[in-house]
Amino acid sequence: MIIARTPAFWRATLALSLGSLLTFANLYTPQPLLPLFSETWGISPVDASLSVSLTTLTLSLSLLIYGPLSDAIGRRGIMLVTMTLTTLCSLAMAFAPDFSTLLALRTLQGAFIGGLLAVAMAYMGDEFERKAMILAIGLYISGNSLGGISGRLISGAVATHWGWEASFLVTGCLSIVILIAFVWMLPPSRHFTPKPLNPRALMRDLAAHAGNPIILLACLIGGLNFLVFVNLYSYITYLLSAPPYGLSPAALGLLFLTYLSGTLAAGFSARLVAGRSQPMAMAAGILILMGGTLLTLIPSLEAIIAGMLINAIGFFLTHSQAAGWVSRNATRARASATSLYLMSYYGGASIGSFYLGPFWHWAAWPGVVLGATLMLSIGLGVTLRLRVLERRILESPASAQC
């Protein structure tokens, strides 16, 4: 087993973190480019945002496949193949002749992006001893955040000077470099034990989790939370690229640095919530996200940036607590419970642009804020219902005996 803070630990952890960076950079490359897509092809914001939402849709569905498949045939090979195909898709997008081709490639790419996300932690569970795994997961999740931010920053900066096609080309070339480092650094699987592929058992476990309100409500909270958060960034690019702001794609890419406040908040959330109600912490995060969203109605770039900084804090607080709640309360088949949560999470992102689209057409950014607030209100209601269930669990005789 790989021991914490040994050379093998740092090689494997850095490899997985780089893989995470590659995955999320490719996932979010188009987000600062949406106004350029509308300008190039004369399409609406809703249509342009399909370049993100269709990818997250196929990503969410693919998570059901890669986990059980990796249990049967191994982890490392799936990560290598899917990362390679993800990279090839980005390179092909640089030469897409029309938006339909770009969408087809993005839809396909989403199915490949899910490979590393579904398998990386399972690889850690096989190869790392417990202390090493806990440390490695924290570094790996940091790679998730940095990948999403860097992908948008690079994409926006490159598009400002050389056009949207160059953004995909540069992302693809950087992905090749990262992929080579990944292959060189990641140790082969030495402790993997193959298991029979059993789709029926997987569906039975998922159905059991979906029928458990303790798990299902937390998955719903995660999906509603991400539905609003990620799609606010898509529509705000249209607000800020138009007068009076007139931001370039490079400047729009810088907007995604506001994610960092949420990354820091997620790191401290465990200490803040320790000994307190997790559903109420989720509710607090949603209220913070609501407050930041309302702040963006002030017609000032400084107020909008402040609002997005606050949004990231609220989002990551809710997300970290909802994901932790699912893992903690799944008494069996925890991997299936996590897959269900991630499906809800990325599934929410995929439908968010369709939900907010009519609000944008009706009243532009104020309409989007209204739509977001309505959806977050539903999420708040779900957290309060989860709090009721939490109280019942704590007051139950079994809990009292513990």
Side-chain angles (χ1 to χ4, degrees), residues 309-358:
L309 284 166
I310 293 170
N311 279 359
I313 294 171
F315 165 74
F316 278 100
L317 174 59
T318 299
H319 169 47
S320 61
Q321 293 306 310
W325 174 273
V326 168
S327 178
R328 174 187 166 196
N329 287 279
T331 56
R332 56 185 294 272
R334 281 190 170 88
S336 296
T338 300
S339 294
L340 183 64
Y341 178 81
L342 291 174
M343 282 180 60
S344 303
Y345 181 77
Y346 287 108
S350 69
I351 65 174
S353 63
F354 299 104
Y355 166 72
L356 292 174

Side-chain angles (χ1 to χ4, degrees), residues 11-23:
R11 281 176 64 97
T13 303
L14 182 56
L16 292 170
S17 299
L18 286 173
S20 172
L21 190 148
L22 179 153
T23 296

Side-chain angles (χ1 to χ4, degrees), residues 120-131:
M121 288 193 184
Y123 174 91
M124 294 182 202
D126 292 339
E127 307 299 328
F128 287 59
E129 54 97 15
R130 186 176 182 277
K131 182 179 178 182

Side-chain angles (χ1 to χ4, degrees), residues 71-322:
D71 286 338
I73 68 173
R75 323 290 191 194
R76 194 174 188 272
I78 287 177
M79 289 190 284
L80 290 176
V81 170
T82 55
M83 288 169 62
T84 300
L85 293 172
T86 295
T87 299
L88 292 176
C89 282
S90 282
L91 292 172
M93 285 174 215
F95 304 97
D98 50 49
F99 189 61
S100 296
T101 303
L102 182 70
L103 280 186
L105 288 167
R106 283 289 293 172
T107 303
L108 187 62
Q109 189 179 46
F112 300 140
I113 285 174
L116 182 117
L117 300 183
V119 175
M121 288 193 184
Y123 174 91
M124 294 182 202
D126 292 339
E127 307 299 328
F128 287 59
E129 54 97 15
R130 186 176 182 277
K131 182 179 178 182
M133 181 179 174
I134 292 171
L135 179 59
I137 286 175
L139 296 171
Y140 166 78
I141 291 175
S142 297
N144 296 356
S145 178
L146 291 175
I149 294 170
S150 62
R152 290 153 167 144
L153 287 174
I154 293 169
S155 174
V158 171
T160 297
H161 298 287
W162 298 291
W164 65 264
E165 298 93 340
S167 294
F168 288 108
L169 187 61
V170 169
T171 299
C173 291
L174 288 175
S175 297
I176 292 173
V177 175
I178 292 173
L179 183 59
I180 292 170
F182 183 89
V183 173
W184 175 60
M185 298 179 70
L186 187 70
S189 296
R190 301 187 188 280
H191 301 279
F192 169 74
T193 303
K195 301 175 184 177
L197 191 60
N198 193 342
R200 184 176 298 178
L202 171 67
M203 298 310 296
R204 186 171 60 246
D205 290 337
L206 285 173
H209 292 313
N212 181 355
I214 292 291
I215 301 296
L216 183 62
L217 292 180
C219 292
L220 183 59
I221 291 165
L224 294 176
N225 195 41
F226 201 37
L227 180 156
V228 170
F229 179 71
V230 74
N231 286 288
L232 284 177
Y233 278 97
S234 293
Y235 283 99
I236 207 167
T237 59
Y238 286 91
L239 172 71
L240 297 179
S241 64
Y245 307 105
L247 298 188
S248 66
L252 293 176
L254 290 172
L255 179 68
F256 294 95
L257 287 172
T258 55
Y259 260 62
L260 292 174
S261 64
T263 303
L264 293 173
F268 287 105
S269 64
R271 298 177 187 176
L272 293 173
V273 180
R276 298 180 176 87
S277 165
Q278 282 187 286
M280 294 311 294
M282 298 176 212
I286 290 175
L287 288 172
I288 293 170
L289 179 50
M290 277 186 179
T293 301
L294 292 172
L295 184 60
T296 63
L297 289 172
I298 298 175
S300 157
L301 184 59
E302 292 79 7
I304 291 170
I305 292 172
M308 298 306 281
L309 284 166
I310 293 170
N311 279 359
I313 294 171
F315 165 74
F316 278 100
L317 174 59
T318 299
H319 169 47
S320 61
Q321 293 306 310

Side-chain angles (χ1 to χ4, degrees), residues 39-55:
E39 180 183 335
T40 301
W41 287 297
I43 57 178
S44 70
V46 176
D47 290 338
S49 66
L50 288 173
S51 60
V52 177
S53 57
L54 286 179
T55 310

Side-chain angles (χ1 to χ4, degrees), residues 56-78:
T56 54
L57 175 62
T58 52
L59 162 59
S60 67
L61 296 175
S62 73
L63 295 172
L64 278 179
I65 299 171
Y66 291 120
L69 187 61
S70 74
D71 286 338
I73 68 173
R75 323 290 191 194
R76 194 174 188 272
I78 287 177

